[in-house]
């Protein structure tokens, strides 16, 4: 098993769990994060999945995990995706996964897309358009799962709200509309989306 991490600047790292220290009160560095960058997502993988990355600008890429070699704790990782100027990674998932890919925009709109709509490519490409959004709007969160799964939507100015994945319509990758899944005031926007941690049973 591996721990897979990604940062906003698309630095991707895979570390074997056997590399991690045992139970201890001492802190350790899992991944070296460069200055002006920050950790976005962390997942556990059996080494046989596809890595899916999505960006604030509505782009996404899918490639096989075998393209990322396992690294030690002191490594920073490799580039997962070519980012346009000013764009950043907002989420990562491991596919295939039961359910659909869920995309949440900064305005509270969301849509679900079948994961087969995203072709498997090579690592460090530009990817494909996941959602073509207006310039003033961007992706704020992404996950994958069954429609009954609940997520928490965090807003800039007001209290967080909860919603289910199937509150958003299932549509194609090229569809632009989506649906408002959380009520928001005009002066507010989505700042973050959090999901429940799934226990992996072997």
């Amino acid at each position: 098993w591996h721990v897979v991490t990604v940062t906003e600047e698309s630095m991707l790292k895979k570390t074997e769990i056997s590399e991690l220290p045992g139970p201890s009160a001492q802190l350790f560095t899992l991944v070296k994060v460069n200055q002006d960058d920050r950790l976005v997502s962390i997942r556990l993988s059996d080494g046989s999945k596809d890595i899916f990355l999505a960006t604030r600008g509505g782009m996404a890429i899918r490639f096989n995990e075998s393209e990322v070699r396992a690294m030690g704790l002191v490594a920073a990782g490799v580039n997962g995706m070519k980012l346009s100027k000013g764009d950043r990674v907002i989420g990562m998932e491991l596919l295939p996964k039961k359910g659909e890919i869920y995309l949440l925009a900064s305005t509270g709109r969301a849509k679900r897309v079948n994961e087969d709509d995203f072709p498997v490519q090579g690592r460090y490409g530009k990817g494909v358009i996941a959602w073509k959004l207006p310039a003033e709007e961007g992706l704020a969160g992404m996950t994958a799962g069954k429609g009954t799964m609940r997520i928490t939507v965090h807003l800039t100015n007001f209290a967080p709200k909860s919603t289910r994945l199937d509150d958003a319509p299932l549509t194609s990758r090229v569809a632009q509309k989506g649906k408002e899944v959380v009520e928001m005031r005009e002066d507010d926007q989505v700042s973050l989306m959090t999901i429940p941690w799934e226990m992996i049973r072997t």
Side-chain angles (χ1 to χ4, degrees), residues 44-80:
L44 293 177
S45 175
D46 62 4
S48 65
K49 306 294 185 183
D50 289 343
I51 293 173
F52 182 89
L53 305 176
T55 77
R56 172 81 179 178
M59 301 298 291
I61 191 170
R62 178 181 182 175
F63 54 89
N64 194 267
E65 185 184 335
S66 62
E67 295 198 37
V68 183
R69 63 177 179 84
M71 304 171 212
L73 293 178
V74 296
V78 295
N79 284 298

Side-chain angles (χ1 to χ4, degrees), residues 7 9-10 26 35 37 87 112 125 135 140 148 166 178 185 199:
T7 71
E9 295 296 325
S10 188
Q26 299 297 316
Q35 190 173 1
D37 197 2
D87 203 4
R112 290 178 296 140
T148 54
D166 58 10
R185 301 187 184 184
M199 294 296 294

Side-chain angles (χ1 to χ4, degrees), residues 24-35:
S24 170
Q26 299 297 316
L27 297 177
F28 66 94
T29 300
L30 174 63
V31 57
K32 181 182 177 182
V33 179
N34 297 325
Q35 190 173 1

